[in-house]
Short mmCIF file of all heavy atoms in Angstrom, two decimals:
data_model
loop_
_atom_site.label_atom_id
_atom_site.label_comp_id
_atom_site.label_asym_id
_atom_site.label_seq_id
_atom_site.Cartn_x
_atom_site.Cartn_y
_atom_site.Cartn_z
N SER A 468 3.97 -25.33 -1.58
CA SER A 468 3.72 -25.32 -3.03
C SER A 468 4.97 -25.69 -3.84
O SER A 468 4.89 -25.85 -5.06
CB SER A 468 3.23 -23.93 -3.48
OG SER A 468 2.03 -23.59 -2.84
N THR A 469 6.12 -25.82 -3.16
CA THR A 469 7.38 -26.00 -3.88
C THR A 469 7.46 -27.34 -4.60
O THR A 469 7.78 -27.39 -5.80
CB THR A 469 8.56 -25.87 -2.90
OG1 THR A 469 8.47 -24.61 -2.22
CG2 THR A 469 9.89 -25.95 -3.64
N ALA A 470 7.19 -28.42 -3.88
CA ALA A 470 7.37 -29.76 -4.46
C ALA A 470 6.55 -29.96 -5.74
O ALA A 470 7.09 -30.42 -6.75
CB ALA A 470 7.03 -30.82 -3.43
N PRO A 471 5.26 -29.60 -5.78
CA PRO A 471 4.52 -29.78 -7.04
C PRO A 471 4.94 -28.82 -8.15
O PRO A 471 4.70 -29.09 -9.33
CB PRO A 471 3.06 -29.55 -6.64
CG PRO A 471 3.11 -28.80 -5.37
CD PRO A 471 4.36 -29.22 -4.68
N LEU A 472 5.57 -27.68 -7.80
CA LEU A 472 5.96 -26.71 -8.82
C LEU A 472 7.23 -27.11 -9.57
O LEU A 472 7.39 -26.80 -10.76
CB LEU A 472 6.18 -25.33 -8.18
CG LEU A 472 5.03 -24.33 -8.20
CD1 LEU A 472 5.46 -23.02 -7.55
CD2 LEU A 472 4.59 -24.05 -9.63
N LEU A 473 8.13 -27.80 -8.90
CA LEU A 473 9.43 -28.10 -9.52
C LEU A 473 9.28 -28.92 -10.81
O LEU A 473 9.91 -28.57 -11.83
CB LEU A 473 10.34 -28.81 -8.51
CG LEU A 473 10.81 -27.92 -7.35
CD1 LEU A 473 11.57 -28.75 -6.32
CD2 LEU A 473 11.70 -26.79 -7.86
N PRO A 474 8.47 -29.99 -10.83
CA PRO A 474 8.30 -30.71 -12.10
C PRO A 474 7.67 -29.85 -13.20
O PRO A 474 7.98 -30.01 -14.38
CB PRO A 474 7.37 -31.88 -11.72
CG PRO A 474 7.51 -32.03 -10.25
CD PRO A 474 7.77 -30.66 -9.73
N VAL A 475 6.79 -28.91 -12.82
CA VAL A 475 6.19 -28.02 -13.80
C VAL A 475 7.26 -27.14 -14.44
O VAL A 475 7.30 -26.94 -15.66
CB VAL A 475 5.10 -27.14 -13.14
CG1 VAL A 475 4.57 -26.10 -14.12
CG2 VAL A 475 3.98 -28.00 -12.61
N LEU A 476 8.16 -26.62 -13.60
CA LEU A 476 9.25 -25.78 -14.12
C LEU A 476 10.20 -26.59 -14.99
O LEU A 476 10.78 -26.06 -15.95
CB LEU A 476 10.00 -25.13 -12.95
CG LEU A 476 9.17 -24.14 -12.12
CD1 LEU A 476 9.93 -23.69 -10.88
CD2 LEU A 476 8.78 -22.92 -12.96
N GLU A 477 10.34 -27.87 -14.66
CA GLU A 477 11.18 -28.73 -15.51
C GLU A 477 10.53 -28.93 -16.88
O GLU A 477 11.21 -28.86 -17.91
CB GLU A 477 11.41 -30.08 -14.82
CG GLU A 477 12.35 -30.99 -15.61
CD GLU A 477 12.59 -32.32 -14.90
OE1 GLU A 477 11.67 -32.80 -14.20
OE2 GLU A 477 13.69 -32.88 -15.06
N ARG A 478 9.22 -29.14 -16.89
CA ARG A 478 8.53 -29.33 -18.17
C ARG A 478 8.60 -28.07 -19.04
O ARG A 478 8.59 -28.16 -20.27
CB ARG A 478 7.07 -29.73 -17.93
CG ARG A 478 6.89 -31.16 -17.40
CD ARG A 478 5.46 -31.63 -17.53
NE ARG A 478 4.53 -30.87 -16.71
CZ ARG A 478 4.26 -31.15 -15.43
NH1 ARG A 478 4.87 -32.18 -14.83
NH2 ARG A 478 3.38 -30.43 -14.75
N ARG A 479 8.67 -26.93 -18.40
CA ARG A 479 8.78 -25.68 -19.16
C ARG A 479 10.21 -25.42 -19.65
O ARG A 479 10.47 -24.42 -20.33
CB ARG A 479 8.35 -24.49 -18.29
CG ARG A 479 6.87 -24.47 -17.96
CD ARG A 479 6.56 -23.26 -17.09
NE ARG A 479 5.19 -23.25 -16.60
CZ ARG A 479 4.74 -22.40 -15.66
NH1 ARG A 479 5.57 -21.51 -15.13
NH2 ARG A 479 3.49 -22.45 -15.25
N GLY A 480 11.14 -26.29 -19.28
CA GLY A 480 12.51 -26.11 -19.70
C GLY A 480 13.28 -25.07 -18.91
O GLY A 480 14.32 -24.58 -19.37
N LEU A 481 12.78 -24.72 -17.73
CA LEU A 481 13.45 -23.72 -16.90
C LEU A 481 14.40 -24.36 -15.90
O LEU A 481 15.47 -23.79 -15.60
CB LEU A 481 12.40 -22.88 -16.15
CG LEU A 481 11.45 -22.08 -17.05
CD1 LEU A 481 10.35 -21.44 -16.22
CD2 LEU A 481 12.21 -21.01 -17.83
N LEU A 482 14.03 -25.50 -15.35
CA LEU A 482 14.88 -26.24 -14.41
C LEU A 482 15.16 -27.62 -14.96
O LEU A 482 14.38 -28.16 -15.76
CB LEU A 482 14.21 -26.34 -13.03
CG LEU A 482 13.92 -25.05 -12.26
CD1 LEU A 482 13.32 -25.37 -10.90
CD2 LEU A 482 15.18 -24.20 -12.09
N ARG A 483 16.27 -28.21 -14.52
CA ARG A 483 16.61 -29.58 -14.90
C ARG A 483 17.06 -30.32 -13.66
O ARG A 483 17.81 -29.78 -12.84
CB ARG A 483 17.73 -29.58 -15.94
CG ARG A 483 18.13 -30.98 -16.41
CD ARG A 483 19.26 -30.92 -17.40
NE ARG A 483 18.89 -30.09 -18.55
CZ ARG A 483 19.76 -29.41 -19.28
NH1 ARG A 483 21.04 -29.43 -18.96
NH2 ARG A 483 19.34 -28.70 -20.32
N ARG A 484 16.60 -31.56 -13.53
CA ARG A 484 16.99 -32.35 -12.36
C ARG A 484 18.17 -33.26 -12.72
O ARG A 484 18.12 -33.99 -13.70
CB ARG A 484 15.82 -33.19 -11.85
CG ARG A 484 16.09 -33.75 -10.46
CD ARG A 484 14.85 -34.27 -9.79
NE ARG A 484 15.03 -34.38 -8.35
CZ ARG A 484 14.15 -34.87 -7.51
NH1 ARG A 484 12.97 -35.30 -7.97
NH2 ARG A 484 14.39 -34.93 -6.22
N ARG A 485 19.22 -33.19 -11.91
CA ARG A 485 20.41 -34.02 -12.11
C ARG A 485 20.24 -35.35 -11.39
O ARG A 485 19.31 -35.55 -10.61
CB ARG A 485 21.65 -33.29 -11.58
CG ARG A 485 21.92 -31.97 -12.28
CD ARG A 485 22.57 -32.18 -13.64
NE ARG A 485 22.80 -30.92 -14.34
CZ ARG A 485 23.86 -30.14 -14.16
NH1 ARG A 485 24.80 -30.48 -13.28
NH2 ARG A 485 23.99 -29.02 -14.86
N THR A 486 21.15 -36.24 -11.63
CA THR A 486 21.08 -37.58 -11.03
C THR A 486 21.21 -37.54 -9.51
O THR A 486 20.75 -38.45 -8.82
CB THR A 486 22.18 -38.47 -11.61
OG1 THR A 486 23.45 -37.81 -11.44
CG2 THR A 486 21.93 -38.73 -13.10
N ASP A 487 21.84 -36.47 -8.98
CA ASP A 487 21.96 -36.38 -7.52
C ASP A 487 20.70 -35.83 -6.87
O ASP A 487 20.65 -35.62 -5.65
CB ASP A 487 23.17 -35.51 -7.14
CG ASP A 487 23.03 -34.07 -7.63
OD1 ASP A 487 22.01 -33.73 -8.28
OD2 ASP A 487 23.94 -33.25 -7.34
N GLY A 488 19.66 -35.58 -7.68
CA GLY A 488 18.39 -35.09 -7.15
C GLY A 488 18.29 -33.58 -7.07
O GLY A 488 17.24 -33.04 -6.69
N SER A 489 19.35 -32.84 -7.44
CA SER A 489 19.33 -31.38 -7.38
C SER A 489 18.69 -30.79 -8.63
O SER A 489 18.77 -31.37 -9.72
CB SER A 489 20.76 -30.85 -7.24
OG SER A 489 21.35 -31.31 -6.04
N TRP A 490 18.07 -29.61 -8.44
CA TRP A 490 17.44 -28.90 -9.55
C TRP A 490 18.32 -27.72 -9.94
O TRP A 490 18.71 -26.91 -9.11
CB TRP A 490 16.06 -28.38 -9.14
CG TRP A 490 15.10 -29.47 -8.74
CD1 TRP A 490 14.99 -30.04 -7.50
CD2 TRP A 490 14.15 -30.13 -9.57
NE1 TRP A 490 14.01 -30.99 -7.50
CE2 TRP A 490 13.47 -31.07 -8.76
CE3 TRP A 490 13.78 -30.00 -10.90
CZ2 TRP A 490 12.47 -31.89 -9.24
CZ3 TRP A 490 12.77 -30.81 -11.40
CH2 TRP A 490 12.13 -31.74 -10.58
N TYR A 491 18.62 -27.61 -11.26
CA TYR A 491 19.51 -26.58 -11.77
C TYR A 491 18.77 -25.64 -12.71
O TYR A 491 17.85 -26.04 -13.42
CB TYR A 491 20.68 -27.22 -12.55
CG TYR A 491 21.71 -27.91 -11.68
CD1 TYR A 491 21.43 -29.15 -11.10
CD2 TYR A 491 22.94 -27.33 -11.44
CE1 TYR A 491 22.37 -29.80 -10.30
CE2 TYR A 491 23.89 -27.96 -10.65
CZ TYR A 491 23.60 -29.19 -10.09
OH TYR A 491 24.53 -29.83 -9.30
N TRP A 492 19.22 -24.38 -12.74
CA TRP A 492 18.73 -23.40 -13.71
C TRP A 492 19.37 -23.70 -15.06
O TRP A 492 20.59 -23.92 -15.14
CB TRP A 492 19.09 -21.99 -13.23
CG TRP A 492 18.81 -20.87 -14.18
CD1 TRP A 492 19.73 -20.05 -14.77
CD2 TRP A 492 17.53 -20.40 -14.64
NE1 TRP A 492 19.11 -19.10 -15.55
CE2 TRP A 492 17.76 -19.30 -15.50
CE3 TRP A 492 16.22 -20.81 -14.41
CZ2 TRP A 492 16.72 -18.61 -16.13
CZ3 TRP A 492 15.19 -20.13 -15.03
CH2 TRP A 492 15.43 -19.05 -15.87
N THR A 493 18.58 -23.70 -16.12
CA THR A 493 19.07 -24.18 -17.41
C THR A 493 19.39 -23.07 -18.41
O THR A 493 20.01 -23.34 -19.44
CB THR A 493 18.03 -25.11 -18.06
OG1 THR A 493 16.84 -24.35 -18.30
CG2 THR A 493 17.72 -26.28 -17.16
N ARG A 494 18.97 -21.84 -18.14
CA ARG A 494 19.09 -20.78 -19.15
C ARG A 494 20.37 -19.95 -18.98
O ARG A 494 20.98 -19.95 -17.90
CB ARG A 494 17.88 -19.84 -19.05
CG ARG A 494 16.52 -20.53 -19.15
CD ARG A 494 16.26 -21.03 -20.56
NE ARG A 494 14.93 -21.63 -20.68
CZ ARG A 494 13.84 -20.96 -21.02
NH1 ARG A 494 13.90 -19.67 -21.25
NH2 ARG A 494 12.68 -21.59 -21.12
N ARG A 495 20.74 -19.24 -20.02
CA ARG A 495 21.90 -18.36 -19.95
C ARG A 495 21.57 -17.04 -19.26
O ARG A 495 22.41 -16.45 -18.59
CB ARG A 495 22.44 -18.08 -21.36
CG ARG A 495 23.11 -19.28 -22.00
CD ARG A 495 23.72 -18.87 -23.33
NE ARG A 495 24.43 -19.97 -23.95
CZ ARG A 495 25.06 -19.90 -25.11
NH1 ARG A 495 25.05 -18.74 -25.80
NH2 ARG A 495 25.68 -20.94 -25.62
N GLU A 496 20.35 -16.55 -19.48
CA GLU A 496 19.99 -15.26 -18.89
C GLU A 496 19.84 -15.39 -17.37
O GLU A 496 19.67 -16.48 -16.84
CB GLU A 496 18.68 -14.73 -19.50
CG GLU A 496 17.48 -15.62 -19.29
CD GLU A 496 17.25 -16.58 -20.45
OE1 GLU A 496 18.21 -16.90 -21.18
OE2 GLU A 496 16.09 -17.02 -20.61
N ARG A 497 19.91 -14.23 -16.71
CA ARG A 497 19.78 -14.21 -15.24
C ARG A 497 18.34 -14.49 -14.83
O ARG A 497 17.42 -13.82 -15.29
CB ARG A 497 20.21 -12.84 -14.69
CG ARG A 497 21.70 -12.63 -14.64
CD ARG A 497 22.07 -11.20 -14.29
NE ARG A 497 21.09 -10.49 -13.49
CZ ARG A 497 21.31 -10.05 -12.24
NH1 ARG A 497 22.46 -10.30 -11.65
NH2 ARG A 497 20.38 -9.37 -11.59
N ALA A 498 18.16 -15.48 -13.97
CA ALA A 498 16.80 -15.84 -13.53
C ALA A 498 16.15 -14.69 -12.75
O ALA A 498 14.94 -14.47 -12.85
CB ALA A 498 16.86 -17.10 -12.68
N ALA A 499 16.94 -13.94 -11.99
CA ALA A 499 16.37 -12.87 -11.16
C ALA A 499 15.74 -11.78 -12.01
O ALA A 499 14.81 -11.10 -11.57
CB ALA A 499 17.46 -12.27 -10.26
N ASP A 500 16.21 -11.62 -13.25
CA ASP A 500 15.68 -10.54 -14.09
C ASP A 500 14.25 -10.82 -14.55
O ASP A 500 13.58 -9.92 -15.06
CB ASP A 500 16.58 -10.35 -15.32
CG ASP A 500 17.92 -9.76 -14.95
OD1 ASP A 500 18.03 -9.20 -13.83
OD2 ASP A 500 18.87 -9.87 -15.75
N ALA A 501 13.79 -12.06 -14.39
CA ALA A 501 12.43 -12.41 -14.81
C ALA A 501 11.40 -12.07 -13.74
O ALA A 501 10.20 -12.26 -13.95
CB ALA A 501 12.35 -13.89 -15.15
N VAL A 502 11.83 -11.57 -12.59
CA VAL A 502 10.93 -11.29 -11.47
C VAL A 502 10.86 -9.78 -11.24
O VAL A 502 11.87 -9.14 -11.02
CB VAL A 502 11.40 -11.97 -10.17
CG1 VAL A 502 10.34 -11.82 -9.08
CG2 VAL A 502 11.74 -13.42 -10.40
N ASP A 503 9.65 -9.24 -11.29
CA ASP A 503 9.41 -7.85 -10.95
C ASP A 503 8.72 -7.83 -9.60
O ASP A 503 7.53 -8.14 -9.49
CB ASP A 503 8.54 -7.18 -12.02
CG ASP A 503 8.20 -5.73 -11.68
OD1 ASP A 503 8.79 -5.20 -10.73
OD2 ASP A 503 7.34 -5.15 -12.37
N LEU A 504 9.47 -7.46 -8.54
CA LEU A 504 8.91 -7.54 -7.19
C LEU A 504 7.65 -6.71 -7.03
O LEU A 504 6.74 -7.08 -6.29
CB LEU A 504 9.94 -7.05 -6.16
CG LEU A 504 11.25 -7.82 -6.01
CD1 LEU A 504 11.97 -7.37 -4.74
CD2 LEU A 504 11.04 -9.33 -5.98
N ARG A 505 7.59 -5.59 -7.70
CA ARG A 505 6.46 -4.67 -7.49
C ARG A 505 5.38 -4.82 -8.54
O ARG A 505 4.42 -4.08 -8.57
CB ARG A 505 6.98 -3.23 -7.45
CG ARG A 505 7.94 -3.02 -6.27
CD ARG A 505 8.60 -1.66 -6.30
NE ARG A 505 9.68 -1.59 -5.34
CZ ARG A 505 9.58 -1.10 -4.11
NH1 ARG A 505 8.45 -0.62 -3.68
NH2 ARG A 505 10.62 -1.09 -3.30
N GLY A 506 5.54 -5.78 -9.44
CA GLY A 506 4.54 -6.04 -10.46
C GLY A 506 3.98 -7.44 -10.29
O GLY A 506 4.11 -8.06 -9.25
N SER A 507 3.32 -7.92 -11.31
CA SER A 507 2.67 -9.23 -11.22
C SER A 507 3.18 -10.17 -12.30
O SER A 507 2.51 -11.12 -12.66
CB SER A 507 1.15 -9.08 -11.34
OG SER A 507 0.82 -8.40 -12.53
N GLY A 508 4.37 -9.88 -12.83
CA GLY A 508 4.92 -10.76 -13.85
C GLY A 508 4.58 -10.27 -15.25
O GLY A 508 3.77 -9.37 -15.46
N GLY A 509 5.21 -10.88 -16.24
CA GLY A 509 5.01 -10.45 -17.62
C GLY A 509 5.96 -9.33 -17.97
O GLY A 509 6.49 -8.63 -17.10
N SER A 510 6.21 -9.13 -19.25
CA SER A 510 7.14 -8.09 -19.70
C SER A 510 6.51 -6.73 -19.48
O SER A 510 5.41 -6.45 -19.98
CB SER A 510 7.46 -8.28 -21.18
OG SER A 510 8.07 -9.54 -21.39
#
Side-chain angles (χ1 to χ4, degrees):
S468 299
T469 305
L472 264 181
L473 291 173
V475 174
L476 295 172
E477 184 179 32
R478 288 195 296 273
R479 292 180 187 169
L481 298 172
L482 297 183
R483 181 182 303 152
R484 194 165 199 184
R485 299 282 178 84
T486 54
D487 63 359
S489 299
W490 299 85
Y491 287 74
W492 173 244
T493 62
R494 306 289 183 90
R495 289 185 177 180
E496 61 266 25
R497 283 171 28 115
D500 291 342
V502 188
D503 177 10
L504 297 193
R505 298 173 191 264
S507 55
S510 299

